[in-house]
Amino acid sequence: MRILAAEDAESVRVLIKLYLTKAGHELDLAVDGGEAVERFKAASYDQVILDMHMPVLDGPAAARAMRAFERESARAPAPILALTGSAEPAAVKLCLDAGCTSALAKPFTREPLLGAVGPAPAGVVKADPDFADLIPRFLDNCRVEEAEMRRALARQDYAALAATGHRLIGAGTSYGFPGITAAARLVESSAERRDPAGAAQGLDALASYLSSVKVSYGR
């Protein structure tokens, strides 16, 4: 996905860039709400991430400006994830009332951020030709694992769900498929929280990725 992230703290921007680009996303960064709105108007994004406390325009003001622009230009609404310093209901309501679609409390780690954003869409993965015999079997095995995880979710076996998700995180990275890793992270973290909706979202993302990913072999 192409993502616009606005955060005034450089240390947090570094983390967001690291987490999202390693998961296969394309990222544009803004240092304040005003710059975020200008970038939003100039390009199309699959996801927006807004810190709620920024100079020039704070997060709620930036979200309202983005929603107004979408209405004026007849653009489909983009998901907006609010980064907020509190997970209290009042703080989350402030974000949603401004036009954000979800909220994530700071500080955050990799898994909650990737879970809130979702995995990058599948495309063409360039693979080492030495893996040409291994990768088709690997992808077929991932499809089997996905079906097994759905059965584990149906019986609420969160331990099995988390274990398989954890295994696919490492395998996806090892074979060069970041979309598998990102979806598996969401499955594992959701299973650890005993969150069936999040686990189902991760499994749906994994199934979608596996059904559409293409592999190109070449040096």
Side-chain angles (χ1 to χ4, degrees), residues 1-5 20 25-28 45 47-49 117:
M1 288 192 292
R2 187 177 186 188
I3 299 174
L4 171 63
L20 295 183
H25 297 289
E26 178 184 351
L27 187 65
D28 287 344
Y45 293 96
Q47 172 87 48
V48 177
I49 300 172
V117 169

Side-chain angles (χ1 to χ4, degrees), residues 111-119 146 149-150 152-154 156 158 161-162 165 179-207:
E111 285 75 15
L113 179 63
L114 294 181
V117 169
E146 183 254 328
M149 286 191 290
R150 287 192 186 277
L153 178 59
Q156 297 186 331
Y158 291 107
L161 192 60
I180 291 175
T181 295
R185 284 189 194 281
L186 178 53
V187 171
E188 181 191 36
S189 62
S190 298
E192 290 172 344
R193 299 193 306 272
R194 303 180 70 84
D195 173 11
Q201 180 185 354
L203 289 170
D204 288 345
L206 178 61

